[in-house]
Amino acid sequence: MAVGIVGYGAYLPRLRITKKEYQQAWGNCAAGIKEKTVMDFDEDALTMGVEAAKEALKCGINPEEIEILCWASTNPPYQEKMVSGAAAVMLGLREDVIATEHGQSIRAGSEALLTAWAFLSAGSGRNALVIAADAPRACPRESIEHGLGAGGVAYILGTENLIAEIDGFNSFVNEMLGERFRPAGDNNLRDIGVRAFTFASYNQLVTRALQSLMEKLGRKPSDYNYLVIQEIDGRSAKSVAKKLGFDEEQLAPGLLYEQTGDTGASSALLSLAAVLDQSKPGEKILLAAYGSGAGSMAVSLTVTGAPLKEGRNTVKKQLDENITYLGYAQYLQVKRYI
Amino acid sequence: MRRVAIVGAGQTPYGEFPTLGVKELFAWAFKDMLHSVDKGIDPREIQLAYIGSLSAGSGFQLGQLAALLMGHVGLPHVPAIRVENACASGGFALYSAICAVASGKCDIALAGGIEKMRDVSSTKTKYWLGISGDTEFERLAGLTFAGIYALVASRYMHEFGLTREQLAKVAVKNHRHGAMNPKAQFRREITLEMAVAGAPVAYPLNIWDCCPTTDGAAVVLLCSEERAREFTDHPVYIIGYGAGTDYLAVQDRDCITSFKAARMAAQEAYKQAGVKPEDIDFAEVHDCFTIAEVVAYYDLGFCEKGEAGRLLDEEATSLGGRIPVNVSGGLKSKGHPIGATGCGQAYEVFNQLRGQAKNPERQIKNAEIGLSHNVGGSGGTATVFIYRREG
Amino acid sequence: MGAHISIPMYQRAVKQRYRLVGLKCLKCGKINFPPKAGCKYCGNFDQFEEAQLSGKGKVYSYTIIAGAGAPPEFSEEAAYRRFYPVVLVELDEGPRIVAQLVDVEKDQVEIGMPVELVIRRIYTEEDVIRYGYKFRPKKD
Ligand SMILES: [Zn+2]
């Protein structure tokens, strides 16, 4: 039984802050962004995730038909309290939906996707809703903060009328110290600020996942039309792709960082949505998610041909239209940093 | 039902009294009332008291306020009832007291009202002042009272072409009247330019469209017709009194440019009094916001629906006009000590009809029939009274 | 300190606030929102069923709340926004409801504009986030 994507939706908040604002405020911008997405004052991971889920449900699946809900965020509204309940009431899902929540790293979105896949493959339900939404935070004085964006994305997985089939995946974990982390009880992200060390960790884990999945499936880079690598900055994904022998055309459709910044747990799946927006039947997509210094995953997909809904709110549309730019002082207010 | 007369009325000046609490303010108004009774009265003759207050003591509820206040003026054993219907608390205290006398339950009753609003910061004031709508669904939409009236104003402007200037004319007029009233909180005139350009509060309303928060108290002494002449040769009869209620939330009402509660109250009062809107010589109208007075013109039958702007352009409701409205300054300039307002309006009408307006400059000549109109919140409740001088 | 809407009181309206569930009167067929014990349209007291509203409607009236005039629960948000619009929306199914309008510039708001529901944070009290419906200009 093939399990795959039957619907998806992205949500990018309309607020943006540009690199220039950082340069004016701090003298430089430490992130390789042109601009990045910012949640409004009354938004959080839950509201963004619900927006994305509503867009995904436009594929025609009735909320009542969702039997599995897998949620992912590294910044849920509460440190402890399930988000699924609120999301289910907001979306009109059944009370007996099988719910799981993921959030120990920015790999969480991809974990949620594979968890949903596993439930469906085991016959535990016919349709699953995966929601990943995030807006990471850090102390505004730290350079890690400069690149943090916001966004949400949702997928509906099922077994019929597939847009894309998931044809393989894997997962790796390792212990890499000092990478992106938050100490217990702290809202602010940290890292040790050594870029080469960060890249070494990223390179090792992401490469491992991608190479081993291609080996397992007997494929090589040229068998794929698209490569999605979770972006943690403006260049590491490009660098890994190049080393593995992928070219820029394969990578470009999934590159969002320059316009959104780091969207945390929703990042890789948002890039996947951008790729799906322009994909054609028969095309293959390889995706790698990164779990900040502790893990990675790879997922392989084949676009199967169910038509995409006309007039859908594509990632591109949301990147380019109906945008409002903030000044840095407003940014500090809306992020509740001051 | 028996006819009911007002034989005395008292009011504190409206304003800010940092050294006076609810008890002192009430005693002040009560004493003012006793002095107004032409032939004098022993306060122990009072048989029943209704006292209106939204949130006695600066937004911190004092239960059984009526007992506290009556005890303070030496009448601890007069059955006393606190009435709360938001900004119409005073009107409903008066309505209840009238009904008690009219029914024969008692001969002499006191209606009063009080609010002490200036003891706390504006932030704290907003906490409790915004509770008189449908808190669950209106306030939690981020609406203040000004916001709710602003929804009414926007719709009124949309439906009837009311202009920003016409709204401002209400404020300019009432400030002009209030400037002549020694008991008014704001005794200064404002220009149309100022009133149009005030700091925004809730578009289309600005700061000049809004009444202030006020300390003050007012009391009215009611008496059955049979005994009225014991106290005065110039009683003022309440010849019609009506009350109305509507859905508390504006979102539940079919029409928001007219308050059905006020229309009901007015119809009942006119019918009982046997008079028509054109018989009214002057009116004290609930202008918590300028748009409220605009809405009231139609609700009280002073104009056709949507014609209020024209009334203002013609200055028909100014002192000297066809139907002067709020010659006291209204809530806008005289002030709005919430629970007191309904009784303060009766105080003004009582004095005007007896030719005793404080400051003769604003005395309406030969007025015979007056009206007062008191609205709770954004039209959830309302009372209308029609008064006639006899003798 | 806030408007003293207790958490249990908020809880009782969660279905209305999160998803706009109204009550359909089985006698006259009209939808009451928020739900009422007695039908607003015909007075029926007994026969109702839950009805999901579409969340689509048109602005019936509006105001722009100035920051300083916001209720205290909204003062932090108002300080950031300076102004925020509140609209009375006439829903496609009939009922009118008041709510904030988001994702809009204040000079774009007008009577008659089509809007759609969006779930946002309303305010936070006792560290409990109060989510609920707002509206935004309808996307095509
Ligand atoms: Zn009905």
Side-chain angles (χ1 to χ4, degrees):
Chain A
M1 180 180 64
V3 172
I5 296 165
V6 299
Y8 67 97
Y11 177 77
L12 295 175
R14 71 177 191 135
L15 301 180
R16 299 286 190 282
I17 185 165
T18 61
K19 185 184 195 81
K20 204 173 145 210
E21 290 289 337
Y22 272 91
Q23 288 167 333
Q24 280 171 356
W26 292 104
N28 76 310
C29 178
I33 54 166
K34 284 182 180 150
E35 60 189 41
K36 63 175 185 174
T37 45
V38 184
M39 292 190 299
D40 207 340
F41 195 87
D42 55 357
E43 295 187 285
D44 61 20
L46 173 59
T47 66
M48 291 194 297
V50 165
E51 285 283 320
K54 285 184 176 174
E55 181 68 28
L57 284 163
K58 288 182 187 167
C59 70
I61 299 286
N62 188 317
E64 292 273 316
E65 297 173 73
I66 302 290
E67 292 166 287
I68 292 140
L69 170 63
C70 300
W71 157 268
S73 180
T74 63
N75 287 272
Y78 295 97
Q79 275 200 2
E80 176 168 343
K81 181 180 195 291
M82 283 181 73
V83 177
S84 302
V89 175
M90 289 169 184
L91 293 166
L93 307 184
R94 323 152 53 104
E95 270 184 34
D96 63 353
V97 68
I98 299 170
T100 68
E101 306 200 351
H102 308 257
Q104 279 298 104
S105 82
I106 54 172
R107 201 183 73 160
S110 305
E111 290 171 15
L113 184 79
L114 292 183
T115 305
W117 179 89
F119 277 118
L120 293 181
S121 298
S124 305
R126 278 154 302 170
N127 290 106
L129 173 61
V130 176
I131 306 176
D134 218 342
R137 292 171 65 84
C139 173
R141 283 189 302 275
E142 304 290 339
S143 53
I144 193 173
E145 200 281 333
H146 297 198
L148 302 179
V153 65
Y155 287 85
I156 294 172
L157 302 191
T159 54
E160 287 165 19
N161 297 320
L162 303 185
I163 292 167
E165 184 183 332
I166 294 172
D167 42 37
F169 65 89
N170 63 21
S171 165
F172 287 85
V173 292
N174 200 346
E175 171 71 323
M176 301 283 212
L177 299 176
E179 262 298 273
R180 173 178 176 141
F181 68 101
R182 267 186 294 163
D186 196 332
N187 287 326
N188 291 323
L189 277 178
R190 316 254 184 99
D191 65 10
I192 58 170
V194 183
R195 198 181 271 271
F197 182 76
T198 298
F199 179 73
S201 164
Y202 178 81
N203 185 37
Q204 185 189 329
L205 280 161
V206 170
T207 300
R208 188 78 204 278
L210 290 171
Q211 272 180 336
S212 87
L213 186 58
M214 284 191 287
E215 267 169 41
K216 187 167 145 190
L217 297 172
R219 290 184 191 150
K220 52 190 185 304
S222 59
D223 292 329
Y224 284 96
N225 303 82
Y226 306 98
L227 175 67
V228 169
I229 305 185
Q230 183 156 5
E231 297 172 274
I232 56 164
D233 56 29
R235 59 191 184 195
S236 297
K238 291 175 194 163
S239 175
V240 170
K242 198 171 170 187
K243 281 183 199 175
L244 285 170
F246 288 88
D247 59 36
E248 277 179 30
E249 287 70 43
Q250 287 165 293
L251 191 64
L255 294 176
L256 302 178
Y257 185 88
E258 270 193 359
Q259 277 181 280
T260 63
D262 185 341
T263 53
S266 63
S267 162
L269 297 187
L270 266 170
S271 291
L272 176 61
V275 167
L276 287 173
D277 278 338
Q278 63 175 76
S279 66
K280 292 180 217 47
E283 292 186 327
K284 287 189 161 44
I285 304 166
L286 185 60
L287 175 148
Y290 179 56
S292 301
S296 59
M297 311 183 94
V299 184
S300 177
L301 302 103
T302 303
V303 181
T304 42
L308 299 175
K309 201 181 151 290
E310 284 300 312
R312 66 192 184 282
N313 202 2
T314 61
V315 174
K316 172 125 184 60
K317 207 161 143 186
Q318 296 187 58
L319 284 172
D320 298 337
E321 295 173 17
N322 190 25
I323 288 171
T324 301
Y325 288 98
L326 296 172
Y328 192 72
Q330 287 174 293
Y331 173 74
L332 292 179
Q333 281 183 302
V334 78
K335 289 278 275 187
R336 292 178 168 87
Y337 285 141
I338 52 170
Chain B
M1 297 287 261
R2 303 192 294 174
R3 298 217 307 151
V4 181
I6 303 179
V7 296
Q11 189 204 295
T12 66
Y14 283 176
E16 192 166 28
F17 302 100
T19 60
L20 303 180
V22 282
K23 290 188 284 191
E24 292 82 6
L25 285 169
F26 182 74
W28 187 353
F30 188 78
K31 213 162 157 183
D32 192 43
M33 176 277 291
L34 291 180
H35 290 152
S36 76
V37 180
D38 295 333
K39 299 180 186 174
I41 185 170
D42 179 345
R44 285 169 298 187
E45 297 248 30
I46 296 169
Q47 295 163 304
L48 196 57
Y50 287 92
I51 296 171
S53 172
L54 170 57
S55 192
S58 306
F60 301 108
Q61 296 280 354
L62 296 177
Q64 304 196 81
L65 179 75
L68 179 78
L69 299 178
M70 293 306 283
H72 190 66
V73 296
L75 300 171
H77 305 304
V78 173
I81 301 146
R82 175 181 161 190
V83 178
E84 190 277 299
N85 260 359
C87 313
S89 298
F92 276 89
L94 182 57
Y95 184 84
S96 305
I98 294 166
C99 290
V101 175
S103 70
K105 178 67 187 166
C106 63
D107 284 325
I108 299 172
L110 187 78
I114 185 155
E115 217 68 59
K116 178 79 190 133
M117 302 173 74
R118 306 286 302 181
D119 266 10
V120 292
S121 70
S122 62
T123 305
K124 275 195 174 170
T125 300
K126 275 185 256 172
Y127 273 111
W128 68 271
L129 205 49
I131 59 171
S132 301
D134 185 334
T135 304
E136 220 183 334
F137 284 94
E138 288 181 328
R139 175 154 173 169
L140 295 192
L143 276 182
T144 52
F145 256 98
I148 297 172
Y149 272 97
L151 291 175
V152 173
S154 281
R155 188 69 201 179
Y156 199 107
M157 292 164 101
H158 174 79
E159 278 184 30
F160 304 113
L162 181 81
T163 65
R164 195 33 274 201
E165 284 71 25
Q166 287 169 331
L167 267 182
K169 282 178 179 177
V170 175
V172 172
K173 166 182 76 72
N174 291 350
H175 272 269
R176 190 164 65 238
H177 294 166
M180 294 184 272
N181 183 354
K183 287 193 172 180
Q185 183 170 6
F186 288 133
R187 300 190 55 205
R188 65 180 278 215
E189 296 201 32
I190 59 169
T191 64
L192 190 63
E193 293 70 43
M194 283 166 75
V196 166
V201 172
Y203 174 85
L205 304 181
N206 70 45
I207 192 74
W208 293 111
D209 293 295
C210 308
C211 70
T213 56
T214 308
D215 297 338
V219 293
V220 176
L221 187 65
L222 300 173
C223 183
S224 61
E225 182 171 25
E226 289 84 344
R227 295 191 57 191
R229 300 278 162 177
E230 287 176 34
F231 305 109
T232 178
D233 293 329
H234 306 285
V236 167
Y237 281 90
I238 299 166
I239 57 174
Y241 43 98
T245 295
D246 200 348
Y247 283 109
L248 185 54
V250 288
Q251 67 179 15
D252 284 332
R253 301 188 201 147
D254 293 338
C255 170
I256 67 167
T257 53
S258 164
F259 294 152
K260 190 168 184 179
R263 289 205 313 278
M264 282 172 59
Q267 278 161 17
E268 188 189 344
Y270 282 126
K271 192 175 163 211
Q272 184 185 13
V275 300
K276 295 195 171 61
E278 47 271 33
D279 300 323
I280 304 297
D281 293 314
F282 69 99
E284 285 292 300
V285 157
H286 195 91
D287 60 329
C288 50
F289 299 94
T290 49
I291 183 64
E293 182 168 320
V294 168
V295 167
Y297 291 170
Y298 166 72
D299 291 345
L300 296 172
F302 298 162
C303 68
E304 293 299 312
K305 196 162 191 187
E307 292 286 297
R310 193 174 48 79
L311 228 56
L312 287 158
D313 289 341
E314 291 167 357
E315 300 196 349
T317 55
S318 300
L319 188 61
R322 175 164 66 78
I323 165 80
V325 170
N326 286 330
V327 290
S328 68
L331 285 57
K332 180 71 199 77
S333 162
K334 184 171 101 170
H336 181 28
I338 296 177
T341 288
C343 291
Q345 292 175 322
Y347 165 85
E348 173 71 15
V349 175
F350 177 73
N351 283 310
Q352 283 283 354
L353 288 178
R354 284 160 43 108
Q356 295 172 330
K358 306 298 169 210
N359 183 359
E361 270 185 63
R362 55 180 201 91
Q363 175 66 50
I364 296 161
K365 307 284 180 298
N366 304 318
E368 189 197 335
I369 298 176
L371 177 150
S372 72
H373 154 271
N374 190 198
V375 174
S378 47
T381 55
T383 55
V384 170
F385 303 98
I386 298 172
Y387 315 70
R388 175 149 54 199
R389 91 176 131 81
E390 290 180 18
Chain C
M1 206 162 104
H4 310 300
I5 293 288
S6 69
I7 288 164
M9 183 173 180
Y10 206 90
Q11 175 68 47
R12 289 188 279 268
V14 153
K15 262 204 276 191
Q16 281 75 52
R17 294 191 187 287
Y18 283 18
R19 195 153 42 89
L20 226 55
V21 174
L23 266 194
K24 182 175 180 172
C25 171
L26 296 178
K27 247 185 174 163
C28 73
K30 292 190 170 151
I31 294 178
N32 289 260
F33 188 94
K36 290 180 180 52
C39 174
K40 202 184 132 182
Y41 306 95
C42 75
N44 160 39
F45 221 83
D46 302 315
Q47 301 139 291
F48 293 99
E49 69 180 19
E50 285 194 346
Q52 177 64 55
L53 292 152
S54 67
K56 291 182 175 36
K58 288 196 170 78
V59 172
Y60 183 80
S61 191
Y62 74 97
T63 179
I64 315 285
I65 303 288
E73 304 88 331
F74 297 85
S75 58
E76 201 190 341
E77 180 170 5
Y80 156 68
R81 294 193 192 280
R82 312 288 196 271
F83 299 89
Y84 61 83
V86 177
V87 288
L88 178 58
V89 173
E90 187 160 282
L91 297 170
D92 286 353
E93 295 85 355
R96 286 188 205 135
I97 54 176
V98 280
Q100 279 172 260
L101 187 68
V102 298
D103 292 0
V104 71
E105 300 304 322
K106 70 177 202 277
D107 53 7
Q108 294 171 336
V109 189
E110 56 183 22
I111 289 174
M113 76 189 283
V115 294
E116 63 186 14
L117 173 139
V118 59
I119 298 298
R120 293 285 174 94
R121 295 161 76 117
I122 307 290
Y123 70 107
T124 300
E125 194 176 65
E126 298 170 76
D127 291 324
V128 173
I129 304 163
R130 316 293 178 93
Y131 293 96
Y133 55 79
K134 297 186 180 182
F135 286 86
R136 68 175 167 213
K138 190 170 182 301
K139 294 177 181 171
D140 305 309

